[in-house]
């Protein structure tokens, strides 16, 4: 896995839609792990291949256009500073980037123990030198990318649905809402809006499994 969001090397999925899904998860994992650099901002601002998928609700297309426009206008240093002010801070972060914080269940340690067990079952673990807990949003999104790249048969989709429902669908509204509500959020308001729109599409697509 990777709380480091280090790319995992697997064969690309045969289904174009799955390749696009994996790309969105990779992008969001990167943005929630650290502030974007100039190259990433340029990629978001100009990359047609990251446009909303055909047939998706208009909300995701509008959210993507807003994110792309924000990326074109954003200074890389300002983006990195915004990330640090939001998710790192001094003392307590403005926005907590850990999914268990937003889950209705009690006992964060129980959630982490279960998550670590599931990741071990997938032969995934934190990278060497990584200190963030496994429920960091960047790590969870990278796990989804990994699951998508493993295949698109019913068994693979069911694994995606279980993981997504348990850890992302149940927590992203609180997380993205906290980002949008913060007065320190500028570029990341657009990231949160796109993430929310994307997760709505994912929830509907995975609901049947």
């Amino acid at each position: 896995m990777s709380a480091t969001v280090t790319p995992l090397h697997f064969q690309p999925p045969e289904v174009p839609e799955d390749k696009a899904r994996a790309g969105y998860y990779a992008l969001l994992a990167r943005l929630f792990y650290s502030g974007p650099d100039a190259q990433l901002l340029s990629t978001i601002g100009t990359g047609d291949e990251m446009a909303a998928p055909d047939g998706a609700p208009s909300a995701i297309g509008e959210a993507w256009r807003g994110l792309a426009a924000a990326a074109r206008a954003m200074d890389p240093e300002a983006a990195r500073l915004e990330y640090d002010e939001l998710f790192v801070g001094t003392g307590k972060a403005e926005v907590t980037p850990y999914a268990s914080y937003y889950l209705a269940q009690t006992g964060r340690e129980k959630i982490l123990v279960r998550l670590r067990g599931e990741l071990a079952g997938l032969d995934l673990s934190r990278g060497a030198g990584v200190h963030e807990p496994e429920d960091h949003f960047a790590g969870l999104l990278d796990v989804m990318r990994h699951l998508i790249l493993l295949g698109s048969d019913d068994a693979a989709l069911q694994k995606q649905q279980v993981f997504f429902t348990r850890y992302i669908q149940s927590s992203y509204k609180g997380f993205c809402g906290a980002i949008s509500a913060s007065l320190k959020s500028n570029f990341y308001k657009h990231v949160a809006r796109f993430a929310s729109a994307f997760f709505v599409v994912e929830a509907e697509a995975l609901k049947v499994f």
Side-chain angles (χ1 to χ4, degrees):
M1 139 178 160
S2 81
T4 58
V5 197
T6 301
L8 301 172
H9 300 291
F10 296 96
Q11 293 297 315
E14 296 180 0
V15 182
E17 291 81 2
D18 284 348
K19 185 175 182 180
R21 290 175 62 221
Y24 288 125
Y25 275 110
L27 172 64
L28 290 171
R30 169 63 180 81
L31 289 170
F32 287 136
Y33 185 69
S34 64
D37 56 18
Q39 182 176 358
L40 182 56
L41 289 172
S42 176
T43 298
I44 295 170
T46 62
D48 292 340
E49 72 275 10
M50 301 193 105
D54 291 342
S58 60
I60 194 172
E62 292 174 4
W64 175 258
R65 287 190 289 274
L67 176 58
R72 290 192 292 271
M74 196 67 187
D75 174 74
E77 184 59 33
R80 289 193 292 270
L81 178 60
E82 181 181 331
Y83 178 91
D84 289 344
E85 290 181 339
L86 281 172
F87 304 111
V88 181
T90 54
K92 183 179 180 181
E94 178 86 0
V95 176
T96 300
Y98 303 109
S100 62
Y101 178 83
Y102 304 96
L103 295 175
Q105 300 162 288
T106 58
R108 186 180 183 212
E109 284 305 315
K110 291 182 179 179
I111 295 171
L112 285 173
V113 168
R114 183 180 67 187
L115 174 58
R116 287 165 184 158
E118 292 180 20
L119 293 176
L122 295 169
D123 293 324
L124 298 175
S125 63
R126 287 186 297 181
V130 175
H131 303 292
E132 292 89 349
E134 289 84 349
D135 65 329
H136 193 292
F137 265 94
L140 296 177
L141 300 180
D142 203 39
V143 171
M144 280 298 297
R145 178 182 67 86
H146 165 79
L147 292 176
I148 292 167
L149 293 178
L150 287 180
S152 57
D153 58 18
D154 285 351
L157 289 169
Q158 188 169 25
K159 287 182 180 180
Q160 295 171 34
Q161 192 271 344
V162 169
F163 191 88
F164 177 84
T165 302
R166 184 170 289 170
Y167 298 109
I168 298 174
Q169 186 174 1
S170 301
S171 59
Y172 82 83
K173 291 180 182 178
F175 176 56
C176 292
I179 295 171
S180 297
S182 174
L183 296 178
K184 296 180 180 179
S185 181
N186 178 16
F187 173 74
Y188 271 88
K189 284 184 179 179
H190 297 282
V191 176
R193 183 185 177 200
F194 175 70
S196 294
F198 174 63
F199 295 145
V200 167
V201 173
E202 280 288 281
E204 286 299 314
L206 293 170
K207 188 181 293 185
V208 297
F209 293 97

